[in-house]
RNA sequence: GGCCCGAUAGCUCAGUCGGUAGAGCAGUGGAUUGAAAAUUCACGUGUCGGCGGUUCAAAUCCGUCUCGGGCCA
């Protein structure tokens, strides 16, 4: 008998290095499920070690989907992720299995669970143009085009200002109008979701991060990055990528590399905890 | 053994002419609907190595001790 007759997805969230992969495998086995990636960087091919994607041994235990499916030169975003994940999830359900969706990319998960606001997709050329302008000019332009959006945007955050402006320019409408209304039904959606967020003490998490970084460096991260360093892509933003490249290039020593990765990973984990803390539908799972 | 330099936040250090101290990093909390492993905001009490002394007032000047580092024996 299927313990989950509805085949509704189970979400496994939590900060990096908290043990999402193994919990997902456990849940998948208990619920006759298959695992779907929700990690922005594990999507990429050739970044398995640096992004700490599930190992071959782990993948052999349960079917895994959406790992290493993007070319390193491809650019991804939350909407593309939903486009990739939705059919995979439906397909799993159609076979009577339960999708176990796991990953630490809060925004991607949010799009998947709560849908996308009706906004235009980012435009690389426009972004490049905006990147060459001063923040003051971008802010002034946003204040002119959409004062309401400007008033509720963190104007020191160039990314947020650019995005708001981008929406106005590409759509010909006010970002504030397009964004309004989107959040109205989130509470209702949330009430129907089921998922867990792994919780660990900071001390424990930091220790796990340190162990993982060490394993990563000993487990082929240098070769992986060396193989990819000719490619300019989103992968360069992965924590560990630049640090390992600096190590490979002899700019820093191994101990420094390790500590830089650890610090960046700790900071990332903290941001993830902040994000998931707001997702009240996630049930804390103390490990 | 003698001389010199150093000791200030978890770390690296700044601190003017004596007026009880502040940067970066780390850390903590927050924001975050199409770059998100991204981007961004806020948060700084610490025996100023110890003990004496001078002074209205000492991280700052003097003495001494301790611990580093160096030079000379």
């Amino acid at each position: 008998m299927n313990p989950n007759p509805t085949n509704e997805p189970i979400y496994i969230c939590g900060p990096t290095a908290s043990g999402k992969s193994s919990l997902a495998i456990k849940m998948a086995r208990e619920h006759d499920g298959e695992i779907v990636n929700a990690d922005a960087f594990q999507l990429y091919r050739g970044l398995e070690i640096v992004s700490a994607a599930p190992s071959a041994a782990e993948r052999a235990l349960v079917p895994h989907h959406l790992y290493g499916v993007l070319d390193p030169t491809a650019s991804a975003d939350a909407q593309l992720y939903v486009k990739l994940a939705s059919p995979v999830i439906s397909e799993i359900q159609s076979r009577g299995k339960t999708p176990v969706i796991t990953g630490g990319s809060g925004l991607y998960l949010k799009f998947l669970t709560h849908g996308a606001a009706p906004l235009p997709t980012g435009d690389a050329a426009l972004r490049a143009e905006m990147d060459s302008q001063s923040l003051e000019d971008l802010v002034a332009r946003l204040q002119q085009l959409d004062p309401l959006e400007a008033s509720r945007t963190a104007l020191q955050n160039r990314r947020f200002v650019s995005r708001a402006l981008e929406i106005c320019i590409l759509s010909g409408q006010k970002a504030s109008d397009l964004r309004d209304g989107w959040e109205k039904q989130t509470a209702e959606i949330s009430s129907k979701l089921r998922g867990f967020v792994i919780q660990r003490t900071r001390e424990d998490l930091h220790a796990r991060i340190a162990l993982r970084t060490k394993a990563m460096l000993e487990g082929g991260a240098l070769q992986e990055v060396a193989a990819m360093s000719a490619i300019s892509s989103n992968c360069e933003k992965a924590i560990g990528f630049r640090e390992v490249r600096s190590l490979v290039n002899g700019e820093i020593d191994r101990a420094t590399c390790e500590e830089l990765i650890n610090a960046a990973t700790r900071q990332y984990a903290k941001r993830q905890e902040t994000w998931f803390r707001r997702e009240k539908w996630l049930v804390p799972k103390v490990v």
Side-chain angles (χ1 to χ4, degrees):
Chain A
M1 185 181 149
N2 191 335
N4 174 36
T6 61
N7 288 335
E8 286 303 309
I10 301 171
Y11 295 89
I12 308 291
C13 308
T16 187
S18 61
K20 293 187 293 295
S21 297
S22 49
L23 178 61
I25 289 169
K26 184 167 170 272
M27 297 292 272
R29 291 177 131 184
E30 286 172 6
H31 294 85
D32 191 23
E34 299 190 8
I35 292 169
V36 181
N37 173 38
D39 182 292
F41 284 78
Q42 291 175 6
L43 244 29
Y44 286 104
R45 191 162 40 239
L47 200 66
E48 286 80 5
I49 297 167
V50 169
S51 69
S55 66
E58 287 174 310
R59 293 188 206 195
L61 297 172
V62 172
H64 281 62
H65 303 271
L66 286 184
Y67 290 91
V69 294
L70 288 182
D71 188 88
T73 56
S75 57
D77 61 43
Q79 188 184 42
L80 174 69
Y81 170 69
V82 174
K83 275 186 191 164
L84 292 172
S86 297
V88 170
I89 292 165
S90 301
E91 195 272 332
I92 292 169
Q93 289 173 315
S94 75
R95 288 188 280 106
K97 306 279 185 179
T98 301
V100 177
I101 299 160
T102 186
S105 298
L107 184 69
Y108 284 21
L109 281 158
K110 188 75 173 178
F111 267 64
L112 189 61
T113 54
H114 292 76
L119 305 175
T121 300
D123 182 271
L126 179 56
R127 285 178 179 181
E129 188 200 319
M130 288 192 291
D131 284 347
S132 69
Q133 294 174 38
S134 72
L135 178 59
E136 292 71 34
D137 288 348
L138 296 176
V139 168
R141 199 156 165 215
L142 179 62
Q143 281 167 335
Q144 187 192 1
L145 288 177
D146 191 346
L148 175 59
E149 190 67 6
S151 73
R152 59 192 192 189
T153 298
L155 298 177
Q156 316 92 320
N157 192 330
R158 193 182 181 93
R159 278 279 170 90
F160 289 4
V161 173
S162 295
R163 176 58 186 157
L165 200 49
E166 179 180 63
I167 292 168
C168 295
I169 293 168
L170 293 178
S171 70
Q173 300 175 65
K174 289 185 175 179
S176 54
D177 289 342
L178 295 174
R179 275 175 168 165
D180 271 349
W182 167 79
E183 281 188 39
K184 299 250 166 75
Q185 42 185 339
T186 57
E188 198 192 327
I189 292 171
S190 294
S191 69
K192 292 174 183 165
L193 298 167
R194 61 170 175 165
F196 301 93
V197 55
I198 299 179
Q199 297 201 324
R200 288 180 184 276
T201 63
R202 276 291 158 79
E203 194 182 24
D204 183 21
L205 193 61
H206 288 185
R208 289 174 62 95
I209 286 169
L211 282 175
R212 198 181 67 178
T213 301
K214 196 175 277 291
M216 191 180 288
L217 290 174
E218 288 166 2
L222 277 69
Q223 293 84 333
E224 184 174 89
V225 168
M228 210 189 270
S229 57
I231 303 166
S232 172
S233 75
N234 274 351
C235 295
E236 294 182 352
K237 290 188 304 196
I239 291 170
F241 192 96
R242 277 186 203 149
E243 294 86 347
V244 170
R245 189 161 61 185
S246 294
L247 174 62
V248 169
N249 292 344
E251 293 155 17
I252 56 175
D253 63 26
R254 194 182 177 95
T256 303
C257 177
E258 200 168 319
E259 183 43 37
L260 287 174
I261 294 173
N262 282 335
T265 307
R266 277 183 241 128
Q267 291 164 349
Y268 172 48
K270 194 164 73 63
R271 273 179 264 133
Q272 289 176 299
E273 288 186 329
T274 300
W275 183 289
F276 290 127
R277 214 172 276 151
R278 293 205 308 173
E279 298 296 326
K280 304 297 185 193
W281 58 277
L282 287 168
V283 177
K285 184 103 178 167
V286 179
V287 180

